Amino acid sequence: MTIRILVLVVGLLAGVYGYGYWHSASHATLTVLLSDSARKEREGRVLNAELVFLDASSKPIARGKTDHKLGLVLLRHPASGYCSPDVAPGAFRACVLAQSEWIGGWVNDLRFVSVVLGNCRIERVPVQVTANRDSLWTWWIPLREGSGTPLTHYAAQLVVDARVCTVTGYRG
């Protein structure tokens, strides 16, 4: 009987952590910081820019834009659209969940980004993306902010100089 309970507990733990690993490998967030080195106010945040994310063959795999208030890069989900803070809380949560699965499907193919800032168009800028996976040992602990299931968090940064329409730096 003790061996059956031990096998059941080990199997249950393996299933839970297997699910957590799968979820963190297939669901993701992508944070892109876009700044203009020519602008000194608001840390150079770029407002009203359009971005196209490209794979190695320069095929578009996602689109995004910066908002008009803070310069946050918002990604456009094919069905849900943009998940902005202006959306109702229930709709925002559903949008974020759909986006996390969608981003997990293409972010590893991301190689370039094209940016449009007013009259400035910068094509095929190499993008370096860093990844940080939630810890599988702590993802199940209920936190106040409701972090929930584990994700992989990707980040990239692109610095442009809109005066001369060029990239001055990029990193993950």
Side-chain angles (χ1 to χ4, degrees):
M1 175 118 171
T2 306
I3 291 180
R4 285 185 180 165
I5 292 173
L6 181 62
V7 168
L8 179 65
V9 168
V10 168
L12 183 63
L13 285 174
V16 168
Y17 281 104
Y19 170 78
Y21 177 81
W22 166 81
H23 199 276
S24 70
S26 62
H27 293 71
T29 63
L30 174 63
T31 302
V32 179
L33 297 175
L34 176 64
S35 57
D36 184 351
S37 60
R39 292 178 51 134
K40 300 302 178 205
E41 68 277 357
R42 289 191 179 186
E43 300 171 359
R45 294 286 176 106
V46 177
L47 308 179
N48 300 318
E50 295 179 20
L51 297 92
V52 179
F53 300 93
L54 309 165
D55 64 10
S57 64
S58 296
K59 176 184 161 201
I61 53 177
R63 297 187 181 278
K65 69 176 183 178
T66 58
D67 71 349
H68 61 281
K69 295 178 185 175
L70 302 173
L72 301 173
V73 175
L74 303 172
L75 299 175
R76 187 178 74 208
H77 184 275
S80 303
Y82 294 104
C83 299
S84 72
D86 300 334
V87 178
F92 180 74
R93 180 166 170 73
C95 185
V96 168
L97 289 173
Q99 267 203 359
S100 73
E101 186 173 355
W102 171 67
I103 291 168
W106 60 263
V107 72
N108 288 317
D109 297 330
L110 178 59
R111 298 294 179 270
F112 304 101
V113 64
S114 294
V115 181
V116 177
L117 310 154
N119 295 331
C120 174
R121 182 176 203 90
I122 306 170
E123 299 285 344
R124 290 193 73 224
V125 178
V127 64
Q128 296 174 351
V129 180
T130 58
N132 182 20
R133 184 171 284 177
D134 284 342
S135 171
L136 292 180
W137 298 108
T138 60
W139 69 267
W140 53 272
I141 298 172
L143 299 174
R144 208 162 103 220
E145 70 271 7
S147 57
T149 53
L151 301 170
T152 301
H153 304 279
Y154 293 91
Q157 182 176 9
L158 184 64
V159 181
V160 298
D161 186 337
R163 293 175 303 183
V164 291
C165 196
T166 189
V167 174
T168 59
Y170 54 88
R171 69 172 193 244

